[in-house]
Amino acid sequence: MSDTFDFTKLTSFEVFWRDHQKWLQERGYMLRSRYMPDWKASWLSTKKPYYTCEDSEIPTFAAIMMDATRISDGAYVTLKSIKPSIHPYEAEIGTYLSSEPLASDPKNHCVPIYEVLEVPDKEDTILLVMPLLRKYNRPPLQTFGESVDFFQQIFEGLQFMHNHHVAHRSVMSCIVLKIRLTPSHSDCMSVNIMMDGSMYPDGWHPCSDFTKRDYNDDVKHYTRTQRPPKYYLIDFGISRRYSPNDTSPSEYPILGGDKSVPEFRKSADKCNPYPTDVYYLGNMIRQDFMQVSVKSGFEFMDALIADMVQDEPTKRPTMDQVVERFSRVRKDLTNSKLRARI
């Protein structure tokens, strides 16, 4: 980042949130102090470096995402701005998957949509209100048992979506920013799997997830074994919901962060998105767990993942078959294996 960047001023991406702070407060959501209409940088009247002050923090994806506090109960939430003209199905699919009785199904790992807000003075803009979540692997998983629990949840989550006739279509996604806000923020390749705050009873700062919300110290947390988190599939911007009678839907390819999808490399013709979802998920596990040089011991996943990432989509297992096969794999793992550190 350039040394000339002025943190005392809002970026163009942040102005929208400041300008709608009062309306959001009226709707029951409070933004951080940086987005108050009369905000002045807290470090200007002190000798503190700006980077030690909470109100210097800018969300990575401020153009479309902002954190807030729900006034009624103090819950931390994420606000996502979307344009229905570009993503006409995101709110519909998200609210459908968040509705009862689907919301109470333990196999539902789709991010809950608490509310949809229509921005009154901005055409073609709505805000989805969702829980504040963390990247699924921050902090890193420590034991094979924790990893097995992660696999189980995301397999069941994608199975749940497919059983309710929804294809995710972007388990691996790519979000590109026009500017880099800080050296630590990545520009691209955001995996659309997150986790809740079960490990973090006191929460965390939404822009610095190892820091307390007041920015005064590192945040303390439990291990996944002590307080198992719930993992969520997020981002339904290019997802599609089909008729129960349409068992083999067909869609044109959409190139996301994972550009290795065999059927997309071979042709631009329409194809069934369900096997592509299976590939995305299998390839994510292959990349994040099985091909990482510092990790070993995941050989028990070799056969299943190999089938999930086969070049020929029709040869890949369905998510029902993935869940069934994984349950057998899991039963064969000993307690000592599950407790062993990665």
Side-chain angles (χ1 to χ4, degrees):
M1 183 190 62
S2 170
D3 292 336
T4 61
F5 188 88
D6 188 355
F7 282 92
T8 66
K9 297 178 181 179
L10 299 185
T11 67
S12 59
F13 298 131
E14 298 176 281
V15 170
F16 167 85
W17 302 104
R18 179 204 61 194
D19 291 349
H20 291 83
Q21 183 276 326
K22 184 178 179 182
W23 169 71
L24 283 167
Q25 185 173 348
E26 291 171 352
R27 295 303 305 265
Y29 301 98
M30 182 65 72
L31 301 183
R32 288 183 287 116
S33 63
R34 182 176 176 88
Y35 304 105
M36 297 298 109
D38 58 351
W39 172 75
K40 289 182 174 56
S42 63
W43 60 91
L44 289 178
S45 58
T46 72
K47 294 182 179 180
K48 292 181 179 179
Y50 74 89
Y51 51 80
T52 65
C53 299
E54 187 280 332
D55 59 333
S56 71
E57 281 288 359
I58 305 171
T60 305
F61 303 117
I64 58 170
M65 307 280 279
M66 183 56 63
D67 58 276
T69 301
R70 189 163 59 194
I71 297 171
S72 62
D73 59 1
Y76 303 128
V77 299
T78 295
L79 308 175
K80 180 180 181 181
S81 171
I82 64 172
K83 294 185 178 298
S85 62
I86 299 175
H87 297 297
Y89 307 110
E90 183 164 8
E92 174 193 340
I93 290 174
T95 52
Y96 164 68
L97 294 169
S98 299
S99 65
E100 293 294 354
L102 278 65
S104 297
D105 191 321
K107 292 187 177 182
N108 186 347
H109 290 269
C110 302
V111 60
I113 307 297
Y114 295 148
E115 189 175 4
V116 179
L117 304 175
E118 295 189 9
V119 182
D121 59 350
K122 195 168 178 64
E123 240 179 90
D124 192 31
T125 302
I126 61 176
L127 302 182
L128 305 184
V129 184
M130 303 171 287
L132 179 67
L133 302 174
R134 300 174 59 88
K135 292 180 181 178
Y136 85 89
N137 56 357
R138 287 176 62 88
L141 292 85
Q142 295 181 328
T143 70
F144 288 101
E146 292 174 356
S147 302
V148 165
D149 179 55
F150 169 71
F151 300 154
Q152 180 75 39
Q153 290 195 42
I154 58 171
F155 285 160
E156 286 183 348
L158 193 56
Q159 177 196 34
F160 176 89
M161 291 186 69
H162 287 188
N163 286 347
H164 287 87
H165 318 292
V166 178
H168 192 288
R169 304 183 72 209
S170 61
V171 176
M172 302 283 281
S173 73
C174 182
I175 302 174
V176 180
L177 287 182
K178 293 181 180 178
I179 62 171
R180 181 184 288 271
L181 296 179
T182 72
S184 63
H185 288 151
S186 62
D187 289 12
C188 190
M189 188 58 74
S190 173
V191 178
N192 283 334
I193 303 172
M194 307 284 281
M195 69 178 185
D196 70 8
S198 300
M199 299 164 60
Y200 292 80
D202 299 321
W204 64 89
H205 194 283
C207 299
S208 180
D209 59 11
F210 287 117
T211 306
K212 287 184 176 180
R213 289 191 71 87
D214 62 11
Y215 228 61
N216 286 330
D217 199 1
D218 291 342
V219 68
K220 303 296 189 294
H221 63 86
Y222 292 89
T223 67
R224 285 174 171 77
T225 301
Q226 292 169 320
R227 294 200 178 181
K230 181 167 183 175
Y231 299 98
Y232 289 99
L233 293 163
I234 68 166
D235 192 358
F236 308 122
I238 59 174
S239 301
R240 292 293 183 271
R241 181 183 174 193
Y242 305 102
S243 164
N245 298 323
D246 190 357
T247 57
S248 185
S250 188
E251 298 281 359
Y252 284 111
I254 295 180
L255 294 179
D258 186 350
K259 296 177 174 59
S260 66
V261 180
E263 53 266 39
F264 293 177
R265 288 187 285 111
K266 293 178 181 178
S267 170
D269 294 340
K270 286 185 174 183
C271 57
N272 188 335
Y274 291 134
T276 305
D277 275 357
V278 174
Y279 177 90
Y280 278 138
L281 197 49
N283 197 41
M284 185 279 293
I285 293 173
R286 178 169 62 175
Q287 290 180 347
D288 283 11
F289 291 86
M290 303 170 69
Q291 293 181 340
V292 181
S293 60
V294 296
K295 296 179 182 178
S296 61
F298 285 100
E299 292 79 12
F300 59 89
M301 296 293 291
D302 282 350
L304 176 56
I305 298 303
D307 283 348
M308 292 176 70
V309 299
Q310 288 192 81
D311 281 0
E312 175 51 54
T314 59
K315 293 183 178 179
R316 296 171 199 155
T318 65
M319 284 310 303
D320 284 340
Q321 293 169 333
V322 168
V323 170
E324 180 191 6
R325 286 179 58 179
F326 181 71
S327 68
R328 298 199 298 267
V329 169
R330 187 171 187 169
K331 287 178 182 177
D332 288 339
L333 298 176
T334 64
N335 287 334
S336 59
K337 175 65 175 181
L338 295 173
R339 290 194 299 266
R341 294 182 68 85
I342 298 172

